[in-house]
Amino acid sequence: MSNNKIILEGCIKAFKDTNEIELSESETFEVFSLTQIHKDRNITYENIISAIVDGGNDGGIDSLMVFMDEEFVENIDDLENFNFSNKTEAKFILTQCKKENSFKEKAIDKLITTIPVLLDLEKNETELLSRFNSDLVTQALLLIEVWKKTAINGGKISLDYIYTCNAQEITINNVFKQKVDQLIDITKNCLSSQSVTFSSYSCTELLEFYQKQKSNRLSIEFKDRPLSTDFGDNGIGYIGTVKLANYKQFLKSENGDIRDDLFESNIRHFQGLVDVNKKIKSTIENPSCEDFWWLNNGITIIAEEPKEVGKKLSIENIQIVNGLQTSYSIFNNHNEDTSDNRSVLVKVIINNNKETTDHIIASTNSQNPVSATLLRATEPIQRNLELFFLNEGFYYDRRKNYYKNQGKPATKIFSIQLTAQAIQSIAYDDPHTARSRPTSLLKTEASYKKIFNPNKDFNIYLKCCLIYRKGHNFWLKHSDSNEKNKTSNFKLHLGGLLPKVLLSKKNISLNEISTINMDDINEYVFKESISLLNNSIDSYLSENPSSNLINIAKSKEFTDYLYSKVDERYSVCNQ
């Protein structure tokens, strides 16, 4: 075994231990590989798990990710948050992760057969399900929806294939290369796009990804020494102007792209060439006798650990919380001419108090109309839930990737959306809505207030998350491939079943949920639950032959049917 393979095995073990992952070796290798490959993207452990589609009938695809303008798209319901235009850039990433010692042609053969079927717009949901598993079909339908909307609006479409395995190094023959070329040609014809790539990664590349760290400290050079001012013991601020070329350099990553991680706490992403951005673009491209900062509100940055040397300010844990549109406009349109003396106004606030940070984010964005959903993370109940989870040894990720960036175990981190889905499914017996319209749970005021009620016992929130995740972990390790494939779209239903099977009754009170001992949800309870779910799916499909696995997972009729089976079983048992 090579040194790289030995070292990588140690890295994978450390990754598994740190994140408290309980998966097989091959599954852990897959999650590890995806985490390293996408390290510079703003995605979570939950996002990675949701994108994994392998198993029976996977068409040779282990994971399928959809991005719009570098933002991960979680589901079709999530598309309401995106604006399609001729500036939209849709990227699809299909990955194969094999814990094998060499790259194999059969992996490419499967894709050559799969892609013309999966990307055939004439195929409907039922036809795709006759060939592929429901996880893959769900992700493929999302890809197709983004593909169509992007194409109709004149945006750019690209698809990247990634093949990673446990080989010592990348060693492939001419036949392998020819088949890759064939796959790329097929994909280009299907997508009507020339932007199709294929990348292979061995132990050597994975180790390089693992050793690469995001830089948490950057320097920004002001035009003149910035004005510094403190506010008692509450923090310090720096105010000054930065030449447009220097600000663009501050935003640039090692590979020349914009550092999207700097905007993780911003409440909106780049809106393309909307009217305000057209005006900013015009101002940048057409110098006049007016300085840029005279015409622009500027940039607000929150950071920590400042070190000032002359005109340069070195800072850590940087988040640009206001001025994303201006930042992207400067990055996209300025020619980096250092003789251009125009500048942008930059405020740097040194503060690590989360509540103060929330107030800054909310107030600096209040001048523009913003969906209430984007500001949910700043509400008191969300901060209080975060504190409650922390006190119990878990992490409520109300600010995306906050705890991931701190190196907390991935399996102990719960997002706002997952928490809402778990509550809706387990506490309110509504897994179909949680499955079909997850974004709406947070958007609709009535639904949001019902789920996130400050008078509710916070232990219920945590228990619902833990019940769902424990069921999911059992499901991931389940040995019956037929049951696993059939129930892959019903993980929220499974979460709802677990407490009912544990307590042997259909109706479970919120108080009963809050007092469940998690050790009591064991493998026996899981097997009883998945068997009941599997049998209910079979009998429902036999009674409703026009239905399929994806649409019944989203239907209230099936949920009612499923829970009637629970009632039948335990009403008899309890007599």
Side-chain angles (χ1 to χ4, degrees), residues 179-202:
K179 289 185 176 181
V180 167
D181 291 340
Q182 182 183 357
L183 172 63
I184 290 175
D185 288 340
I186 290 170
T187 309
K188 286 179 178 179
N189 288 333
C190 290
L191 285 177
S192 299
S193 170
Q194 294 301 303
S195 299
V196 180
T197 66
F198 188 99
S199 302
S200 299
Y201 299 126
S202 67

Side-chain angles (χ1 to χ4, degrees), residues 3-19 21 28-29 31-40 164 201-215 407:
N3 286 340
N4 278 351
K5 288 190 75 169
I6 293 171
I7 294 169
L8 188 68
E9 288 294 329
C11 295
I12 293 173
K13 184 180 183 304
F15 171 82
K16 183 175 182 178
D17 292 343
T18 298
N19 290 290
I21 294 172
T28 301
F29 178 78
V31 174
F32 173 85
S33 299
L34 290 170
T35 302
Q36 304 315 312
I37 291 167
H38 300 292
K39 179 177 282 184
D40 288 334
T164 178
Y201 299 126
S202 67
C203 284
T204 302
E205 289 74 32
L206 288 177
L207 191 56
E208 289 175 358
F209 282 131
Y210 184 81
Q211 293 170 332
K212 179 184 176 184
Q213 300 294 327
K214 278 187 178 181
S215 174

Side-chain angles (χ1 to χ4, degrees), residues 13 66 140 146 160 193 221 255 298 358 368 379 403 411 427 435 442 451 512:
K13 184 180 183 304
V66 176
V146 172
D160 298 342
S193 170
E221 183 176 353
N255 61 11
D358 290 338
N368 298 316
E379 295 179 1
Y403 290 106
T411 52
R435 168 71 178 79
L442 301 176
I451 294 171
E512 286 174 314

Side-chain angles (χ1 to χ4, degrees), residues 37 60 103 157 160 193 253 255 348 378 389 423 453 465 510 534 552 570:
I37 291 167
F103 293 90
I157 297 164
D160 298 342
S193 170
S253 67
N255 61 11
V348 180
T378 69
F389 274 53
I423 286 284
N453 183 343
C465 287
L510 296 182
N534 182 68
I552 69 170
Y570 294 115

Side-chain angles (χ1 to χ4, degrees), residues 219-272:
S219 293
I220 185 167
E221 183 176 353
F222 286 82
K223 196 171 180 181
D224 296 296
R225 186 165 187 165
L227 172 68
S228 64
T229 177
D230 59 31
F231 188 66
D233 297 327
N234 296 300
I236 187 170
Y238 296 85
I239 305 172
T241 56
V242 177
K243 288 177 66 172
L244 298 183
N246 289 341
Y247 186 66
K248 179 171 181 175
Q249 190 61 39
F250 170 72
L251 296 174
K252 187 179 290 187
S253 67
E254 292 178 1
N255 61 11
D257 296 329
I258 192 167
R259 294 179 56 95
D260 201 48
D261 58 298
L262 300 181
F263 302 93
E264 287 174 5
S265 292
N266 204 283
I267 65 171
R268 63 173 84 233
H269 205 267
F270 187 53
Q271 302 297 298

Side-chain angles (χ1 to χ4, degrees), residues 69 83-89 269-285 324-325 328-330 332-333:
D69 299 324
N83 177 39
F84 289 87
S85 72
N86 61 355
K87 294 296 182 179
T88 297
E89 295 187 8
H269 205 267
F270 187 53
Q271 302 297 298
L273 284 181
V274 295
D275 285 345
V276 64
N277 290 340
K278 287 180 181 177
K279 292 175 182 176
I280 297 174
K281 179 177 184 293
S282 176
T283 302
I284 293 167
E285 293 178 338
L324 181 146
Q325 309 303 319
Y328 268 77
S329 296
I330 292 172
N332 291 335
N333 301 298

Side-chain angles (χ1 to χ4, degrees), residues 266-268 276 296-300 321-326 347 359-370 375:
N266 204 283
I267 65 171
R268 63 173 84 233
V276 64
N296 185 274
N297 290 331
I299 313 296
T300 302
V321 298
N322 186 249
L324 181 146
Q325 309 303 319
T326 297
K347 296 185 295 181
H359 289 162
I360 294 168
I361 292 171
S363 62
T364 55
N365 284 277
S366 61
Q367 72 272 21
N368 298 316
V370 176
L375 291 173

